[in-house]
Amino acid sequence: MGLGGRSLLLCAAVMAGAGIAGPLRPFVEAALTNHQPQRILVLGGDADRERMGLNLARRMKLPLVVSGGTNPEYAQWLMRDAGLEPDMVRLDYRAKDTLGNFTSLVDELQRDGVHHLLLVTSEDHLPRAMAVGGIVAGSRGIRLTGVPVSCQSRCRDEGLGKRFGDGLRAAAWVVTGRDLKLWARRKWPQLFTAP
């Protein structure tokens, strides 16, 4: 075997070792989990998303977490209208953005033994949410399965730049435990002012 073959073999062995015993292990576990969905996570911002999540929760008999959803009174009315008991639904208003939807909940979900989440959000938001959530939840061994909610004429193309930027923020959070956007906002406020 030549030098190139040995180098390739060494690289493959290092990657396999990182995947089995190193920092990539939770991501491998998330990708390979055979657990059925154990909880539903709705990313707030639209009542249609909450309705979809409530209907799924009722049909599948799964607990539901709504992160950053509609106001509590309306959300509770939606729960009653869907016929769900309040103990099956958790409303969480800590998140301020997509990254926060995951970082505010992921450690609790891991402590609760969740290995597989159904992720409900609008179809135009789903690619970015899956990218961010795949990194944050994957770092805790939690697999995501996306459930798109039609946004019809209200859909907005989020673009690859936004997905990439939030993906970098998610990776930074996994490594540092902090949202670097908040740090950057304090350090360079001029970058974040509206025109």
Side-chain angles (χ1 to χ4, degrees), residues 1 21 33 36 41 47 77 86 90 101 109 120 138 175 184 194:
M1 184 181 301
T33 188
Q36 292 298 312
L41 174 61
W77 178 83
R90 176 174 170 211
N101 288 134
L109 293 168
V120 178
V175 172

Side-chain angles (χ1 to χ4, degrees), residues 9 13 17 27 39-40 42 56 71 75 79 96 100 115-116 130 139 144 160 162 170 172 188:
L9 188 59
F27 296 100
R39 200 158 295 172
I40 299 167
V42 174
L56 277 172
N71 70 66
M79 273 188 282
K96 303 292 183 232
H115 297 280
H116 189 178
M130 288 294 290
S139 76
L144 299 177
L160 191 58
K162 190 161 181 67
W188 300 290

